[in-house]
Amino acid sequence: MDNMARDKQGWIRQYGSYLLTWLIGCAVIIYFKQPSLSPWDSFDPDDRLRLVQIRDFLAGQSWFDNSQYRMNPPDGAPMHWSRLIEIPYYLLTYILTPLFGQVKALAIATIIVPLSLLGIMSWNMGQIVRQLGGGLLARHLAMIIPFTLTAIFEQFSPMRIDHHGWQIMLSIIALYLLMREKEGLYAFGAGILLACALHISLESLVMSAAFFGWLGIRWIAGFADERRIKQSIAGLAVGSATLYLVATNPAQYLIPYCDAISPPYLAALGAAAIIMLIGTSLKPQKWWVRLFIAALAGGSAIALIYLISPICTKGAFSQLDPLVYRYWYLNINEGLPIWNQKFDGAALRITPPLLMMIALIAILLKQRQHISRQYLCYGYFLLTSLLLACLVWRGVALANAIAVPFIALTIEKLFNLWRREKSIAKRMAAIGAILAILLAGPLLVEMKDSFKAAPKMTNGQIAANKEKIDLKKCNSPRSIMTLDILIKKPSLMLSSFNLGPSILLQTRHSVLASSHHRNDKAMHDQLEIFRQPAAVSAKFIKKHNIDYIIICKGDGEFRLYRKIAPNGLGNNLVNGKLPPYIDRVEVNEDGLQIFHINRKYL
């Protein structure tokens, strides 16, 4: 009984300390962000539109219907987003509304949920540390470090309610379950988590493929991971089918979408699962037979996708309107490779995983005779995520998240070296190494700046910086809310893709389009309105019965029109050249320009 009591007390102390560490981190963040903790100031257009979706869900919109009916009315804009991640916001808001009212309750939910996801992910990072042989200090560091890494925290900060944080968290938990020495049902759980990540967004497809690639490589090499393969495949198949049935509109069950889990992908998954389950059950002894079975599974999956929906083999955005693909998709910064990013931002975010990859390779080479399965598995996923981040920049947050356990482990080892060493030089070197790990990104940026004289800004750069400030003011809650004050009747507004979600969130009005690609026909028309001459634009304006045009000079979309269509309507409006059918209503104090469509001149 005494032993049981001591074990219980030890368990409470250990997990209580994890919880306390997370709570302190949350308290510090909330304290410093408190002036801007409002859903209206959330991170980006995706967060704002997600908040609109949650409000509509709370107002009674169907679980199976996630169309946005105030976009491209009267038909509405179809959305590819999953309702799955809206559940905790819905429940928290529903519970807290009697105490605070719905607006405050939803604001509280948008603070609690992202930080809770960060806490869950950080605890699982600590468990990965345990698998790598780390101690209690490293496990607690794994709870703290995510608060300090820009690439991670910008996906989990209060009001950051888009889906990326969910995908990162699910991937980290799946990695921990894969690394566990004991099999049990952990691999099945990892498959379920990957199914959830894929249902939330196909952006998780590469890491899911890497997950099964790792299991396949080990099986082909003869490490007898048949049970893990069977359980993880079963988990992925069961999870994907279940989520598809319970979270997809039955009317869309047979539609072959390329940007979300749909019949082509389900068929491919089913075929690969059956082949691998049969193949692993046969327990072939020769490596080339195992390789053939794995290749047959992968080839069958690709073939089925091609047979059911050939266009989907070209990528998730292959169904996009060509004009939208050219002028919208190819200008999404997070979808571009690292060499298209600005140096300061790229260095700050890529340095932690890159540094840890270099350190891990050095350790693996030094101890190549005694490398554990956990270290090989961890190194494989760190390398995969790093390569993915270099090719598609949105993957940098996942690369940082996977790097956290090794950062924590390395700092713990350096700290222990500092404690036991008597040499002052070695102790100082250990402290210097810890600081270098924590501050490598910022130091690299500072070093770059110190080696060259501060460049004199050109007139174009000065203007661009001013436009960025103008956009922030234009897109502020105070600015957008003036639309409701000036325009009493609910109206259809044409704005930039970035301003659209703000108008939906903060006013009673509707918009034609935003940066959400299943509405690509309306996105196409919006691009045509702004890039074509006024006479051609009038036809599209009349087609959609647009009432007002809302623009901000600092919006990047209008910089694009200036470049590709200097004589188009968009650039002319910015420069004050109005056609007869457009009247200026007002330029508010934040620079938001409002124009009315005079229909008698259309």
Side-chain angles (χ1 to χ4, degrees), residues 240-527:
S240 296
T242 302
L243 286 169
Y244 192 71
L245 290 173
V246 303
T248 301
N249 189 333
Q252 298 178 344
Y253 277 166
L254 299 180
I255 299 177
Y257 288 117
C258 296
D259 60 355
I261 292 295
S262 65
Y265 300 113
L266 288 172
L269 172 60
I274 291 170
I275 292 170
M276 287 303 298
L277 288 172
I278 294 173
T280 51
S281 297
L282 294 174
K283 297 186 177 181
Q285 298 302 306
K286 297 184 180 297
W287 71 268
W288 61 267
V289 176
R290 295 192 292 272
L291 177 61
F292 173 78
I293 292 170
L296 180 63
S300 300
I302 295 171
L304 271 173
I305 294 174
Y306 183 80
L307 288 172
I308 297 172
S309 184
I311 195 170
C312 290
T313 58
K314 298 180 181 179
F317 291 91
S318 54
Q319 294 171 314
L320 203 59
D321 176 271
L323 189 74
V324 176
Y325 184 87
R326 180 180 179 183
Y327 290 121
W328 172 73
Y329 179 72
L330 293 180
N331 284 290
I332 299 175
N333 194 53
E334 65 177 27
L336 300 176
I338 188 172
W339 48 86
N340 288 103
Q341 311 301 319
K342 292 183 178 179
F343 178 85
D344 290 4
L348 189 66
R349 291 164 177 80
I350 202 67
T351 301
L354 180 60
L355 198 61
M356 289 303 101
M357 190 70 247
I358 294 169
L360 184 58
I361 289 173
I363 291 173
L364 294 177
L365 289 175
K366 184 178 179 180
Q367 302 177 352
R368 55 184 176 272
Q369 301 298 325
H370 308 283
I371 301 173
S372 69
R373 180 185 70 85
Q374 284 83 356
Y375 263 88
L376 281 175
C377 178
Y378 179 78
Y380 168 85
F381 280 96
L382 180 57
L383 178 60
T384 302
S385 65
L386 190 58
L387 292 174
L388 175 62
C390 290
L391 295 173
V392 182
W393 188 239
R394 69 168 61 92
V396 75
L398 178 60
N400 275 260
I402 292 177
V404 166
F406 201 66
I407 294 174
L409 186 64
T410 304
I411 291 175
E412 181 185 59
K413 289 182 177 180
L414 289 168
F415 179 75
N416 290 336
L417 176 66
W418 174 82
R419 284 203 309 175
R420 69 172 179 263
E421 277 293 340
K422 295 183 179 179
S423 166
I424 294 177
K426 290 183 178 180
R427 286 165 66 91
M428 292 297 293
I431 293 297
I434 291 172
L435 292 174
I437 291 170
L438 293 175
L439 302 174
L443 286 173
L444 190 60
V445 173
E446 287 298 320
M447 286 173 61
K448 184 266 295 185
D449 291 339
S450 67
F451 282 117
K452 64 178 184 179
K456 184 178 180 180
M457 294 184 69
T458 64
N459 291 334
Q461 289 172 322
I462 294 171
N465 285 342
K466 183 179 183 300
E467 286 180 351
K468 289 179 182 178
I469 297 171
D470 289 344
L471 176 59
K472 188 172 182 180
K473 291 169 64 179
C474 281
N475 209 3
S476 67
R478 181 184 67 177
S479 176
I480 298 296
M481 287 177 179
T482 59
L483 295 175
D484 264 359
I485 298 170
L486 293 170
I487 306 166
K488 303 297 183 183
K489 180 184 175 182
S491 304
L492 176 58
M493 298 185 167
L494 175 70
S495 184
S496 70
F497 294 137
N498 283 333
L499 284 179
S502 296
I503 293 172
L504 293 178
L505 178 64
Q506 298 160 21
T507 77
R508 65 174 73 91
H509 305 296
S510 303
V511 298
L512 179 61
S514 66
S515 291
H516 299 92
H517 64 271
R518 281 209 188 164
N519 190 34
D520 63 335
K521 297 297 183 290
M523 293 176 73
H524 169 277
D525 288 356
Q526 176 162 316
L527 285 166

